[in-house]
Amino acid sequence: EVSTGDPETAFCTLANREDVTPEEGSVHHCLYQFTRNEELTETNKLLCDVCTQRHCGPKNDVKSERKYVYTNAKKQMLISLAPPVLTLHLKRFQHAGFNLRKVNRHIKFPEVIDLAPFCTAKCKNVPEGNTKVLYSLYGVVEHSGTMRSGHYTAYVKMRTANSHLSDLVLRGQSPQALETEPVKGQWFHISDTHVQAVPASKVLSSQAYLLFYERLL
């Protein structure tokens, strides 16, 4: 999508990114790195249609005589529509020569996460004036083993129905009430047919592969 909006606000977020001090090896750090501002220069310059037309004339010129103009630019990936359910997929492999190797490092993740520092200032389904976009953790998928074989298990929170989530999914209404605490409930570890109640501390220490959050605010 090509945007011709004000360049001064194009890279603005709902909450000030400068206030974020993400800890390395955390989901916050992953999101911060993924949404960082990038400079496109030298061989990464952007093909600019406006500059090309200004320099070479209308598009109906003969292509062989047309010289395309590339210019320095900035690029940033931001969230423009906050989803009812946030799914984060952590990359658990890396290249080791010609082979793939599983990454077993623990990545820290919170029970409540605020996406506001990673959302565009004009996020479509966030009420005007809101500077928080909060999500509560309700599910984790964990993989044990190697790249060739292994076993998937899950942690799931049994909780009361989330009326805000229902409003978002069924009616597209943005939540209005302020909630900053995780949704209360009991966590369970599920492995095939075996189900066991576990504390939140065990969930947060797991080697997450997939994270599932439901929107609070």
Side-chain angles (χ1 to χ4, degrees):
E1 179 182 348
V2 177
S3 175
T4 56
D6 184 356
E8 294 299 322
T9 61
F11 300 99
C12 292
T13 51
L14 281 174
N16 190 356
R17 289 172 62 86
E18 301 305 319
D19 295 336
V20 180
T21 53
E23 180 182 356
E24 190 171 350
S26 68
V27 164
H28 278 104
H29 187 259
C30 294
L31 288 169
Y32 191 85
Q33 289 294 99
F34 184 77
T35 59
R36 71 186 187 279
N37 196 313
E38 299 178 58
E39 297 283 345
L40 303 180
T41 60
E42 299 179 352
T43 57
N44 291 321
K45 283 184 178 181
L46 185 71
L47 172 58
C48 178
D49 288 334
V50 175
C51 302
T52 299
Q53 289 182 41
R54 185 183 300 128
H55 185 266
C56 305
K59 288 185 178 181
N60 57 9
D61 284 354
V62 180
K63 278 192 174 182
S64 60
E65 298 177 359
R66 187 177 177 82
K67 294 183 179 179
Y68 294 97
V69 177
Y70 294 81
T71 183
N72 293 336
K74 290 182 180 180
K75 171 190 171 185
Q76 187 174 27
M77 302 283 285
L78 293 173
I79 298 168
S80 63
L81 185 71
V85 173
L86 173 69
T87 305
L88 299 178
H89 185 181
L90 303 180
K91 181 181 175 182
R92 282 290 179 185
F93 67 89
Q94 66 184 51
H95 288 276
F98 293 101
N99 299 315
L100 290 176
R101 180 172 59 191
K102 184 183 174 186
V103 177
N104 291 310
R105 180 182 182 183
H106 174 67
I107 301 297
K108 294 182 180 179
F109 53 94
E111 282 195 82
V112 173
I113 190 168
D114 184 7
L115 280 192
F118 318 112
C119 291
T120 175
K122 296 182 180 180
C123 199
K124 296 172 185 175
N125 58 346
V126 176
E128 189 174 350
N130 278 23
T131 57
K132 288 184 179 293
V133 183
L134 301 179
Y135 288 82
S136 178
L137 183 72
Y138 74 90
V140 179
V141 173
E142 184 178 40
H143 177 267
S144 58
T146 66
M147 292 293 295
R148 294 184 178 274
S149 65
H151 182 56
Y152 290 96
T153 60
Y155 293 93
V156 179
K157 180 187 280 189
M158 188 175 72
R159 61 216 186 280
T160 56
N162 182 341
S163 59
H164 292 334
L165 189 62
S166 298
D167 289 341
L168 276 167
V169 173
L170 300 177
R171 291 176 285 279
Q173 298 174 354
S174 298
Q176 300 294 332
L178 176 62
E179 294 186 28
T180 58
E181 299 297 324
V183 175
K184 293 180 180 179
Q186 174 63 55
W187 282 98
F188 289 89
H189 183 229
I190 304 170
S191 177
D192 293 332
T193 58
H194 182 69
V195 180
Q196 179 184 13
V198 294
S201 57
K202 181 172 178 60
V203 178
L204 297 177
S205 64
S206 65
Q207 192 183 103
Y209 178 57
L210 289 167
L211 297 168
F212 299 90
Y213 288 86
E214 58 187 325
R215 189 170 170 189
L216 294 176
L217 174 69

